[in-house]
Amino acid sequence: MIDSQMITFLSLMALLCVAFLVAVSAVGIVSLFNRGLPESLRPLREGLGAAALPMAFAVATVTTAGSLWLSEVEKLPPCYLCWWQRGFMYPQVLILGLALIWPKLRWVSLPMVVVGAGISTYHYLVERFPDDISTACSDSTPCTTVWIWKYHFLSIPGMAWVAFVTIGVLILLARPRATSQPEGAADATIGNIDAESEPELTR
């Protein structure tokens, strides 16, 4: 196992994502039992919805950059399963970057992150139980090698899984703002609504 300042940074980012996922899960459970989101959390939900796509893009960018750092700077050879995870993570930078302009594109990312998370789960299990799970990895770059082990649970596929799931959750939480209307058009719309509703009020 290796360690460096960059690996510490990447693992801390993954830990931050884990905290985010735990918080979202806790709020989801509370909302389920309360049959709705508590009123005090609604402003936070609206703010998160507006920021979710940029956050997903940031997670994908940091994950991709970190992956390239590990292979090109730290010289850690990617295994067969690592390449598959890269294949589902790297395009997220482009897709989610374009989704900042065309928000509907975010739905293209969702099935990809689900598959990527599944591959990461399998890779993590291969690391944890190398004698019980078969894999197609080569002997030169075995998938069972644990290059990084932080906080007693984070390895490379573990951090990839956290990134995939975080991106998926952010896509589901995203509430892109509607294209703003010109001020005059907005006023005209309000005026039309008032004009249409006035007869109802006088009956």
Side-chain angles (χ1 to χ4, degrees):
M1 289 182 286
I2 65 169
D3 201 355
S4 67
Q5 290 184 346
M6 177 58 72
I7 291 174
T8 299
F9 169 77
L10 293 174
S11 62
L12 286 174
M13 292 298 99
L15 204 61
L16 185 62
C17 288
V18 170
F20 167 77
L21 294 174
V22 170
V24 169
S25 299
V27 172
I29 293 172
V30 170
S31 300
L32 183 63
F33 281 99
N34 287 345
R35 296 183 179 180
L37 189 68
E39 195 66 31
S40 60
L41 294 178
R42 290 189 183 277
L44 180 61
R45 171 65 183 88
E46 293 173 2
L48 179 59
L53 276 182
M55 290 170 65
F57 172 71
V59 172
T61 302
V62 171
T63 303
T64 298
S67 171
L68 291 172
W69 176 278
L70 293 178
S71 61
E72 302 304 317
V73 179
E74 300 287 352
K75 302 301 180 182
L76 303 183
C79 69
Y80 178 77
L81 293 175
C82 288
W83 280 115
W84 274 101
Q85 290 164 86
R86 288 180 171 203
F88 285 96
M89 177 57 71
Y90 287 12
Q92 302 305 318
V93 178
L94 176 61
I95 296 171
L96 292 172
L98 291 174
L100 298 177
I101 305 172
W102 299 291
K104 288 185 179 180
L105 279 178
R106 70 189 186 277
W107 300 119
V108 177
S109 288
L110 194 56
M112 296 180 68
V113 299
V114 170
V115 175
I119 297 172
S120 296
T121 301
Y122 175 69
H123 191 185
Y124 191 84
L125 291 175
V126 167
E127 281 188 339
R128 297 296 89 214
F129 308 101
D131 297 329
D132 301 324
I133 300 178
S134 61
T135 177
C137 284
S138 65
D139 294 334
S140 58
T141 53
C143 299
T144 55
T145 302
V146 181
W147 294 106
I148 296 172
W149 189 246
K150 302 288 286 186
Y151 316 120
H152 303 290
F153 77 101
L154 277 179
S155 61
I156 292 177
M159 289 190 284
W161 182 90
V162 170
F164 278 121
V165 174
T166 301
I167 292 171
V169 169
L170 287 170
I171 289 172
L172 294 175
L173 291 175
R175 296 293 184 273
R177 295 177 181 176
T179 303
S180 58
Q181 297 178 339
E183 186 175 351
D187 292 340
T189 302
I190 294 173
N192 290 337
I193 294 173
D194 291 340
E196 292 173 0
S197 60
E198 185 175 355
E200 297 294 331
L201 296 175
T202 56
R203 288 178 185 175

